[in-house]
Amino acid sequence: MIAPSFPVINHSDRTIIRYFKQRSFIPLPQDILWKIEKGVVRNLTWHEDGTLVTLGVWGAGDVVGRALSKIEPYEIECLTKVEVTIFPVNDSYQLTEILLAHIEQAEALMMIRSNKTVEIMLIKLLSWLAKKFGRAVETGQLIDLRLTHQDIAELLNSTRVTITRVLTNLEERGLIHRLPLHRIVLKEEQIWHYEI
């Protein structure tokens, strides 16, 4: 997939908010970073056989862009409706903070993917998503990202069938509750006991 060409941005355009629909792709000019004001995106690549690989998941306050990766191919897909603004990179302190955030997320996902079973990887991923994007509800932490089973499989380098089976098993054991539109409530109390 190739991102469309993007017009040159004037300094006065930096505060303009750009809106993107769910499952659309954010343009990737080399010299622009995007600050996510609302919504959630994932950056991704794919193998020669077409297998998608999710590199990271980013939300409000995070900064993303082509300049932060050397991986080819590379795209940023909106997992929800997204609002972004252009992030000016003229402060080395800010750039250092952005790079550290990207490294921390890459390390967190690497640790999640290094677990021995898909079940443990999935539990660790759901816990991480709940901390980063969740909100408290009466029964636990709601992960309101509407991630499909295929999205989760791509995050964990697994298959959709395996993720469906493990999610069903976790729900039967009372560790999660699945809601319509691919939303998940993580029951923190049960997960905490499970991880011990």
Side-chain angles (χ1 to χ4, degrees):
M1 296 181 226
I2 299 174
S5 61
F6 198 73
V8 175
I9 304 297
N10 297 326
H11 181 70
S12 60
D13 291 337
R14 294 190 191 278
T15 57
I16 294 174
I17 295 177
R18 305 276 198 268
Y19 300 90
F20 295 94
K21 295 178 184 175
Q22 182 177 3
R23 297 297 173 184
S24 65
F25 291 87
I26 295 178
L28 295 173
Q30 189 67 35
D31 59 340
I32 290 178
L33 295 177
W34 300 102
K35 181 176 181 190
I36 302 167
E37 302 296 338
K38 291 183 183 175
V40 178
V41 303
R42 69 175 175 162
N43 49 348
L44 57 96
T45 190
W46 52 92
H47 294 295
E48 291 173 1
D49 67 0
T51 303
L52 287 179
V53 179
T54 299
L55 303 170
V57 182
W58 307 94
D62 290 326
V63 176
V64 295
R66 182 73 191 102
L68 296 172
S69 178
K70 295 295 180 198
I71 291 179
E72 286 289 343
Y74 179 88
E75 290 195 348
I76 299 174
E77 180 184 20
C78 300
L79 294 176
T80 65
K81 292 179 184 177
V82 173
E83 295 179 16
V84 296
T85 54
I86 294 173
F87 184 82
V89 183
N90 54 10
D91 182 338
S92 61
Y93 173 76
Q94 286 180 320
L95 188 55
T96 300
E97 292 298 310
I98 292 166
L99 292 173
L100 286 174
H102 278 256
I103 291 167
E104 287 172 11
Q105 185 169 129
E107 289 174 340
L109 290 174
M110 199 179 321
M111 289 301 295
I112 289 167
R113 291 175 183 144
S114 72
N115 285 283
K116 300 284 186 220
T117 67
V118 174
E119 180 178 289
I120 293 173
M121 281 192 281
L122 185 53
I123 288 170
K124 298 284 186 182
L125 176 66
L126 293 175
S127 294
W128 181 79
L129 289 171
K131 286 178 189 156
K132 185 162 176 72
F133 301 109
R135 63 180 165 87
V137 294
E138 189 175 313
T139 56
Q141 283 286 85
L142 173 63
I143 305 168
D144 193 11
L145 292 182
R146 295 175 173 92
L147 294 173
T148 66
H149 294 188
Q150 184 63 40
D151 292 334
I152 295 169
E154 291 162 1
L155 268 162
L156 297 178
N157 194 29
S158 185
T159 65
R160 184 197 53 76
V161 172
T162 300
I163 295 302
T164 299
R165 179 180 46 80
V166 174
L167 283 170
T168 300
N169 182 279
L170 293 176
E171 186 169 37
E172 288 171 354
R173 290 170 36 209
L175 300 173
I176 65 170
H177 177 65
R178 292 189 284 177
L179 301 171
L181 302 173
H182 303 286
R183 297 175 302 157
I184 296 174
V185 174
L186 181 68
K187 298 182 177 179
E188 293 176 294
E189 182 79 19
Q190 285 82 353
I191 291 293
W192 183 78
H193 289 299
Y194 179 85
E195 290 179 339
I196 292 176

